Amino acid sequence: MIHLSSLTAAGTFTKTHGIHGELNATLAIEPEYFDEDSCFVCETDGILVPYFIESWRPKGSKGILIQPEDVKSELQAKLFIGKTIYINKERYARYESGLGEDAGYDTDGAYADDLVGFTVTDADAGLLGEVAGIEDSTANMLFIVRTPSDKTLYIPVATEFICNIDMENREIKVSLPTGLIDLN
């Protein structure tokens, strides 16, 4: 059974969109939170019910069009209008621990994927290399950094290690724990 204490409000369904069950939602979170593994929870007949997302697409800066699985008509979609969209609190906390508006520095709403191609400099070690990609198959997201000597470093995308992100100059300044670079 799903308990409200394990959820956080993420937005509200405002209206239907089209005739195939797609819903327009206003979000209090970034739309990019939703991925192919996402689900949301809505109260249905007095109980909290999870719904998997078949597809989604952004609409404006905080809006999103969501196609829930098994919702195939406008009539079915109308049942969601005005309902709060809940998401798993723990999963969202892990998502937020990556990059976002509350990270303590100005990223202009950047996400880890937006930082591919940025140079990475450590406070002690100096230039580490360039972000070649993001490893996000585990709970701890990692920057994949290619060094000037063509080695690969894996650096946690964690606010406690990131000192500054300079969007204009495409630079990330980090302060990594002693020995972390040697683990790679």
Side-chain angles (χ1 to χ4, degrees):
M1 181 174 198
I2 300 171
H3 295 281
L4 193 56
S5 63
S6 68
L7 303 173
T8 189
T12 306
F13 286 115
T14 56
K15 60 184 178 179
T16 62
H17 183 83
I19 60 171
H20 299 291
E22 197 170 33
L23 289 151
N24 194 338
T26 302
L27 296 178
I29 65 170
E30 297 298 327
E32 289 78 9
Y33 165 79
F34 295 103
D35 59 26
E36 66 275 357
D37 299 324
S38 291
C39 74
F40 63 89
V41 175
C42 272
E43 187 175 329
T44 304
D45 296 327
I47 59 171
L48 296 168
V49 178
Y51 296 90
F52 287 92
I53 296 173
E54 183 175 301
S55 64
W56 71 271
R57 54 193 166 119
K59 185 175 183 191
S61 64
K62 289 285 187 179
I64 186 172
L65 295 173
I66 296 176
Q67 177 68 58
E69 284 184 6
D70 303 323
V71 176
K72 302 299 180 197
S73 72
E74 182 179 15
L75 186 61
Q76 290 175 313
K78 282 184 178 181
L79 299 174
F80 290 87
I81 295 174
K83 291 192 176 189
T84 300
I85 302 166
Y86 294 102
I87 57 175
N88 180 282
K89 189 183 291 185
E90 189 175 306
R91 184 176 191 267
Y92 186 66
R94 285 193 309 268
Y95 167 80
E96 273 197 319
S97 71
L99 296 178
E101 293 179 46
D102 298 327
Y105 40 80
D106 182 16
T107 62
D108 295 327
Y111 292 91
D113 287 336
D114 297 331
L115 303 176
V116 172
F118 280 50
T119 58
V120 181
T121 305
D122 180 64
D124 293 326
L127 178 67
L128 297 178
E130 183 176 297
V131 178
I134 304 297
E135 171 57 55
D136 62 357
S137 64
T138 65
N140 297 317
M141 189 180 305
L142 303 168
F143 287 124
I144 302 170
V145 177
R146 297 299 296 171
T147 69
S149 61
D150 206 32
K151 290 183 180 179
T152 302
L153 299 176
Y154 295 94
I155 298 174
V157 180
T159 58
E160 59 265 26
F161 301 142
I162 299 173
C163 301
N164 184 43
I165 297 176
D166 184 339
M167 298 300 284
E168 187 175 318
N169 294 313
R170 299 179 53 84
E171 296 176 341
I172 304 168
K173 297 203 185 315
V174 297
S175 181
L176 300 175
T178 304
L180 184 68
I181 296 171
D182 299 329
L183 293 175
N184 288 281

